[in-house]
Amino acid sequence: MTDATPADAAVVTGSPEGLGEYAERGMGELAEKMGMVFTELSAERAVASIPVEGNRQPVGLLHGGAYVVLAESLGSMAANIHAGPGRYAMGIELSASHSRSATSGRVTGTCTAIHLGGTLTTHEIVLTDDEGRRCSTVRITNIIRDAR
């Protein structure tokens, strides 16, 4: 990977306010392996990006699963922030529609809350290439449970 972001660390830039436990425990092994960089993280809005290089399928396109991993990471983390202390969110439904392929640069996911309830959250994640073109649209619903 030639990107400036190390492949072995998920990075959070910007203010650590609102990151809660994520600032201390990290963003997860898969996020780290994919080179995710988080620039915003709240229940209402979350933004992160991944490099295309290192996450391509054999024909040179960003793997469709990489879009989904980025989107699910954003939606699940936003939902967990909404859940608050002593509660956790876990995905129960996810749908993705890929509309364009990225071959270089970075792909950025912007996650926006559609519904933030007491038991369910729903987020839409729009994934764009470096030129701002939509590559994929993902919707995720998470259920919120009390921690045991």
Side-chain angles (χ1 to χ4, degrees), residues 7-25:
D8 62 348
V11 177
V12 177
T13 61
S15 173
E17 295 174 25
L19 294 181
E21 63 189 78
Y22 293 108
E24 296 174 9
R25 72 176 175 153

Side-chain angles (χ1 to χ4, degrees), residues 1-7 51-54 56 105-106:
M1 180 180 279
T2 60
D3 192 86
T5 305
V52 173
E53 185 177 340
R56 291 185 186 111
R106 296 188 73 82

Side-chain angles (χ1 to χ4, degrees), residues 130-142:
D130 283 337
E131 296 178 35
R133 298 176 298 189
R134 186 180 295 230
C135 296
S136 186
T137 305
V138 178
R139 183 176 173 135
I140 183 171
T141 299
N142 284 277

Side-chain angles (χ1 to χ4, degrees), residues 11 16 22 36 50 56 58 66 71 84 112 144:
V11 177
Y22 293 108
M36 284 187 200
I50 58 170
R56 291 185 186 111
T112 306
I144 299 175

Side-chain angles (χ1 to χ4, degrees), residues 79-80 83 88-93 118-121 141-145:
N80 273 288
Y88 65 93
M90 61 182 172
I92 59 171
E93 186 272 336
T119 57
L120 291 175
T121 65
T141 299
N142 284 277
I143 190 166
I144 299 175
R145 295 284 188 220

